[in-house]
Amino acid sequence: MAINLKKGQTIDLRKNDKGEDVYNLSRVTIGLGWDIKQKNSGFLGKLFGGKEAEYDLDAIAFMLDENGKVADLGKTGTVNGRQVSLFQGDVIYFNSMQHTSGNIWLTGDNRTGAGDGDDEQIIVKLNDLDQKYKKIIFLVTIYQGKQNNQNFGMIENAFIRAIDANGKEIAKYSLSGDSTFNNKHSMTFSELYRHNGDWKFRAIGETHDTDNFVEILKNYVYQH
């Protein structure tokens, strides 16, 4: 049975709530989901109001070394006809969806959050991941959240969960936005980290003002 986590709680990813070693970590899916709170604008609002901009929430992963840093920021490359940085490095996001090792990748970009289940997924082959990677941090940002006046206070039923290679849900961390989430456009949702040969999963739920994950990434890069 999956463990429902509280903010700050840490579990052993391989074991169930009874401490039994049951989960297959050869391929772990980190699934993220959310809904947008519906506005009750009334008849006049629907008649005269413009269409609200869609919410584009993006899942991002930072792969950290033993010093808690992203060692490889990648290179500059061309994606969809434009130059981007952070390409083929240790940051997995919408412009660099698969790690060069093939052991961690983002499945796709869901721009609405509509429907049940996971809206975005990052898949990790934990058993094959190079030993130099000690931690993976998972973030969610609202793309152009400041520009569109969108924040996590407008999000509900948000969750992150871990699913093993056999499709068993290991753990889930759920939250819904309230007034404390207003003006927050990014969130460090959770992390996976190595401990004594095992993988641990920790619920974080730390919000950030910025809607640009690079601002958060600055805390995890080496200073030259």
Side-chain angles (χ1 to χ4, degrees):
M1 184 177 179
I3 300 173
N4 290 313
L5 299 177
K6 297 179 181 179
K7 183 175 181 177
Q9 185 176 356
T10 301
I11 63 162
D12 187 321
L13 203 60
R14 196 180 296 278
K15 302 181 186 299
N16 62 12
D17 55 353
K18 298 179 182 178
E20 299 167 332
D21 195 343
V22 296
Y23 294 115
N24 181 348
L25 304 187
S26 61
R27 177 183 169 121
V28 173
T29 299
I30 303 298
L32 300 107
W34 61 83
D35 293 319
I36 309 302
K37 292 180 179 178
Q38 298 297 313
K39 290 185 177 180
N40 184 13
S41 57
F43 174 75
L44 292 178
K46 294 177 181 177
L47 187 64
F48 297 109
K51 184 179 179 181
E52 185 178 359
E54 66 181 13
Y55 283 67
D56 184 5
L57 274 71
D58 296 311
I60 297 145
F62 297 164
M63 303 171 67
L64 308 184
D65 63 12
E66 61 185 358
N67 299 314
K69 301 293 185 181
V70 175
D72 183 2
L73 290 174
K75 59 187 179 182
T76 299
T78 302
V79 178
N80 296 330
R82 64 189 182 96
Q83 290 290 105
V84 297
S85 57
L86 299 176
F87 185 65
Q88 293 185 340
D90 292 341
V91 177
I92 307 302
Y93 72 117
F94 49 86
N95 275 338
S96 189
M97 294 174 59
Q98 180 159 332
H99 192 256
T100 53
S101 68
N103 291 326
I104 176 169
W105 64 94
L106 175 66
T107 60
D109 185 13
N110 183 320
R111 294 181 178 274
T112 65
D116 296 328
D118 300 335
D119 293 306
E120 293 207 358
Q121 293 180 333
I122 295 177
I123 299 175
V124 191
K125 295 181 177 179
L126 286 180
N127 292 348
D128 297 333
L129 206 62
D130 194 299
Q131 285 291 326
K132 68 182 180 181
Y133 298 113
K134 304 301 183 184
K135 181 183 291 188
I136 306 172
I137 294 179
F138 298 95
L139 304 94
V140 180
T141 63
I142 303 176
Y143 180 69
Q144 295 185 337
K146 288 188 174 183
Q147 177 180 319
N148 295 325
N149 195 29
Q150 299 170 342
N151 58 69
F152 274 91
M154 302 171 180
I155 305 295
E156 62 183 1
N157 304 323
F159 67 84
I160 187 167
R161 63 179 184 153
I163 304 161
D164 83 344
N166 298 322
K168 296 179 181 178
E169 187 176 271
I170 305 170
K172 187 173 185 178
Y173 171 45
S174 303
L175 58 86
S176 284
D178 56 31
S179 59
T180 64
F181 288 69
N182 292 346
N183 301 317
K184 303 296 184 180
H185 308 287
S186 300
M187 179 182 294
T188 302
F189 224 132
S190 69
E191 65 183 17
L192 289 171
Y193 65 93
R194 297 183 193 266
H195 181 71
N196 294 334
D198 292 321
W199 281 98
K200 303 285 187 179
F201 184 85
R202 185 165 79 96
I204 297 177
E206 178 186 357
T207 55
H208 311 277
D209 294 340
T210 183
D211 60 3
N212 184 351
F213 75 85
V214 176
E215 293 299 315
I216 303 170
L217 178 62
K218 290 178 181 178
N219 298 317
Y220 297 97
V221 298
Y222 286 99
Q223 303 299 319
H224 297 290

